[in-house]
Amino acid sequence: MKGDSSKMPGGGVPLVATADIARIEAPVTINAYMMCAFASLGGIFFGFDSGYISGVMAMPYFINLYTGIPIPPSDASDAVKKAFALPAHDKSLITSILSAGTFFGAIIAGDLADWFGRRLTIILGCGVFIVGVILQTASTGLGLLVAGRLVAGFGVGFVSAIIILYMSEICPKKVRGALVSGYQFCITIGLLLASCVVYGTQDRLDTGSYRIPIALQILWALILGIGLSFLPESPRYYVKKGNLEAATHSLTRLRGEPAGSEFIQQELAEIVANHEYELSVIPSNGYLGSWLNCFKGGLSNPSSNLRRTILGTSLQMMQQWTGVNFIFYFGTTFFQSLGTISNPFLIGMITTLVNVCSTPISFYTIERFGRRTIMIWGALGMLICEFIVAIVGVTAGRPSQNNNGAVQCQIAFICIYISFFATTWGPGAWVVIGEIFPLPIRSRGVGLSTASNWFWNCIIAVITPYMVGSDAGEANLGSRVFFVWGSLCTVCFIYAYLLIPETKGLSLEQVDRMLEETTPRTSSKWVPHETFASKMGMTEKGTLNDAVIERITNPTTTHAPDHTNDTSAV
């Protein structure tokens, strides 16, 4: 159905609303799906940046350049070969400094996304990232390399936080989980591409060995930044800014509907009514107040902003606690320590390939079985695999046993473990944090959650070299490190059962209502029963109450403290 295409919301014309929960989202065309999916390409340079560093730190030329230790000949003793490596503190610094930059970048991005828009913040992140990559490419010493990774980290922080926010706000509810999972899939593509490039340059005895994989990252940033400049801004950002005309135009492009479509007006009315409801509960009260709003409410209230912020930040912490980045950051070094693997670079590439091939399964499972279910079972599968790897490693797989069969068993279960992660916690954690926050605090909530991911990523990157290192004063855990990851995955299993809600098939506005009315363990049974438009006020003509639109478009207007319909509501 169509209305008058010349009359847009915000221009004094009533906004058609609906009390039918089946009509709160406009039908979507294939072009709109492709538009939403393109944004997921941001995962490629995030994954590539995470994936190349493990291989680069094991390259002979890189080690020689950064330590001054001569490259050992093929007939060198085991002691000489073992000594030819970057010190643990340098590995720790090089790996973790990126995460430090992303931590602060993600927090800053929350503000930028509210001030300048989601899309522009991502494009800015691409630019900052390119500057960092140029510094890394030019480096021949530790100082400039570390500085470059720090700068690049800020860019990755911008992108990794806001791309999830942007995709969650523009994707249709029925496939939002699958499309946001595409971001995790692109991360795995980036990891695989990094492994392939590193595998191809590892034996070069010039600066091209590490400069080629580093410099290639510029390509992914350019593709994302230029491509996003042609995509529409999030309509929910425009609603937050009170610009309903721009929100209508953006939503029209995203849904592939004609201008003036009644479907578009009804979806926009639901977004507007929900935003008005949230502002009436938690009023906007300045810059500092907007940050404090993330921590308002009690711990006993599952829908409070405090509970949502804790859920988002702890969920990203748990994703890092699964230990998967141990494989992607230090896998090459770990496989070398097993003793019977002749080409650890190849094994590292195989584990990355498993990650890539497994992730698309989540496109189906996350919508078929739901976020909560797959994360409970995913944690169970991971902890079983990790304990098996650890037990084999301290028995038949000990390096002194030189048991190739046992090592192959370990690698097999590491691959199964990665598959469990890639189909569950990998995409699931990103999907959930983009869904649980109300619009007034969404950008900052997602930013804080992403910052938590990078904070714990940094912690793991700092401590892991000392956990598995064999130098004096280091723990030299070897395969026993999987007892640590298995124990942490047990915590993830309990956490998923007790605290992760089910958000499958709900609009972002319906997720708000579900969190108010259920607990995580009962959330999967919740069914929407009214629209926010009907709750906040509809006229007899089926339009949204003018007072609601006025309060959104004129932020100085006091937001109504009650949530009842007007006397003419239907």
Side-chain angles (χ1 to χ4, degrees):
M1 289 180 290
K2 297 182 182 180
D4 183 356
S5 62
S6 66
K7 297 178 180 180
M8 296 301 234
V13 178
L15 186 63
V16 177
T18 181
D20 183 356
I21 60 174
R23 289 178 62 90
I24 63 166
E25 188 170 89
V28 189
T29 65
I30 186 63
N31 287 341
Y33 281 121
M34 297 302 294
M35 200 179 296
C36 296
F38 175 82
S40 66
L41 291 178
I44 289 184
F45 77 75
F46 171 16
F48 195 98
D49 194 84
S50 299
Y52 84 84
I53 197 63
S54 173
V56 164
M57 291 191 298
M59 288 179 177
Y61 183 84
F62 185 84
I63 295 172
N64 169 254
L65 179 66
Y66 279 75
T67 66
I69 303 174
I71 300 175
S74 57
D75 58 349
S77 65
D78 290 341
V80 171
K81 291 180 179 179
K82 186 176 180 180
F84 184 67
L86 287 176
H89 57 82
D90 283 351
K91 286 184 181 179
S92 175
L93 177 62
I94 292 171
T95 306
S96 63
I97 196 66
L98 178 91
S99 301
T102 53
F103 171 80
F104 293 106
I107 293 177
I108 295 170
D111 282 335
L112 297 179
D114 273 353
W115 294 339
F116 306 115
R118 284 64 162 133
R119 189 180 56 136
L120 189 58
T121 300
I122 298 169
I123 294 172
L124 176 61
C126 292
V128 173
F129 178 77
I130 288 173
V131 172
V133 171
I134 291 173
L135 293 176
Q136 293 176 70
T137 305
S139 69
T140 56
L142 187 63
L144 189 57
L145 178 69
V146 169
R149 282 182 64 78
L150 178 64
V151 173
F154 274 89
V156 174
F158 286 9
V159 174
S160 61
I162 306 308
I163 204 80
I164 293 297
L165 172 64
Y166 179 69
M167 292 183 67
S168 296
E169 290 189 340
I170 69 173
C171 289
K173 65 178 182 177
K174 291 182 179 179
V175 292
R176 186 177 60 243
L179 289 174
V180 176
S181 295
Y183 172 74
Q184 176 67 22
F185 178 58
C186 285
I187 291 176
T188 67
I189 293 289
L191 288 165
L192 178 62
L193 289 173
S195 294
C196 292
V197 173
V198 167
Y199 185 74
T201 66
Q202 61 176 313
D203 294 325
R204 290 181 61 126
L205 296 179
D206 56 28
T207 57
S209 59
Y210 69 91
R211 281 178 168 164
I212 291 174
I214 292 175
L216 267 177
Q217 298 173 99
I218 295 176
L219 177 62
W220 320 130
L222 287 174
I223 292 173
L224 179 65
I226 294 173
L228 275 177
S229 66
F230 295 100
L231 296 187
E233 179 56 85
S234 164
R236 288 174 170 87
Y237 164 72
Y238 285 129
V239 169
K240 183 177 174 66
K241 303 298 282 187
N243 189 346
L244 300 193
E245 186 169 343
T248 303
H249 178 70
S250 175
L251 198 57
T252 299
R253 286 188 62 193
L254 287 167
R255 298 295 181 253
E257 287 285 309
S261 165
E262 190 170 288
F263 285 117
I264 294 296
Q265 293 192 48
Q266 289 172 339
E267 181 171 353
L268 183 61
E270 186 69 2
I271 296 171
V272 169
N274 171 258
H275 187 45
E276 162 65 9
Y277 170 78
E278 294 295 346
L279 288 177
S280 68
V281 175
I282 307 171
S284 178
N285 48 6
Y287 174 75
L288 181 59
S290 64
W291 272 105
L292 293 177
N293 283 341
C294 295
F295 306 98
K296 285 189 175 180
L299 284 173
S300 60
N301 179 4
S303 68
S304 71
N305 286 358
L306 176 62
R307 276 283 291 267
R308 297 188 199 206
T309 301
I310 291 175
L311 174 62
T313 53
S314 61
L315 183 59
Q316 290 293 320
M317 175 184 74
M318 291 292 172
Q319 190 203 53
Q320 289 299 310
W321 280 13
T322 62
V324 73
N325 278 333
F326 167 73
I327 299 298
F328 297 128
Y329 283 168
F330 303 104
T332 304
T333 305
F334 173 74
F335 294 135
Q336 284 175 332
S337 71
L338 296 178
T340 64
I341 297 177
S342 59
N343 194 338
F345 284 92
L346 180 60
I347 300 300
M349 194 162 66
I350 289 172
T351 58
T352 305
L353 185 61
V354 169
N355 194 25
V356 173
C357 293
S358 299
T359 302
I361 298 172
S362 69
F363 298 172
Y364 171 76
T365 58
I366 202 163
E367 299 295 359
R368 173 63 179 83
F369 302 108
R371 288 70 157 147
R372 172 180 168 82
T373 301
I374 66 170
M375 294 178 80
I376 291 173
W377 288 101
L380 179 62
M382 286 189 291
L383 73 89
I384 291 172
C385 290
E386 288 173 319
F387 280 126
I388 290 175
V389 172
I391 292 169
V392 172
V394 299
T395 53
R398 296 195 308 273
S400 61
Q401 299 290 316
N402 200 31
N403 187 333
N404 191 52
V407 171
Q408 289 176 349
C409 175
Q410 286 182 285
I411 293 173
F413 275 98
I414 286 174
C415 288
I416 296 172
Y417 148 66
I418 291 173
S419 182
F420 271 114
F421 175 85
T423 54
T424 59
W425 277 78
W430 292 110
V431 171
V432 172
I433 68 165
E435 296 175 327
I436 59 174
F437 295 102
L439 183 56
I441 66 164
R442 186 172 295 144
S443 64
R444 290 180 172 90
V446 174
L448 286 170
S449 300
T450 307
S452 172
N453 180 290
W454 287 110
F455 174 80
W456 288 101
N457 187 301
C458 180
I459 295 297
I460 289 171
V462 168
I463 66 175
T464 299
Y466 298 99
M467 293 170 66
V468 296
S470 57
D471 293 340
E474 295 172 352
N476 193 22
L477 292 179
S479 295
R480 289 173 294 174
V481 74
F482 281 91
F483 282 119
V484 177
W485 305 134
S487 299
L488 291 174
C489 269
T490 303
V491 177
C492 291
F493 173 73
I494 298 170
Y495 174 93
Y497 177 75
L498 295 177
L499 296 175
I500 295 179
E502 185 51 73
T503 57
K504 178 187 71 170
L506 303 177
S507 70
L508 297 182
E509 290 69 39
Q510 289 170 340
V511 171
D512 283 347
R513 179 60 55 82
M514 178 272 293
L515 291 174
E516 292 177 356
E517 299 179 355
T518 69
T519 65
R521 282 175 286 176
T522 61
S523 58
S524 61
K525 300 177 182 178
W526 187 82
V527 177
H529 48 82
E530 68 174 340
T531 67
F532 274 99
S534 63
K535 181 180 182 66
M536 299 306 296
M538 289 173 55
T539 67
E540 291 179 343
K541 296 181 179 180
T543 59
L544 191 61
N545 192 321
D546 289 343
V548 174
I549 298 177
E550 173 64 22
R551 287 191 289 266
I552 292 298
T553 56
N554 183 6
T556 59
T557 305
T558 303
H559 292 270
D562 63 286
H563 312 131
T564 58
N565 294 349
D566 64 4
T567 56
S568 62
V570 292

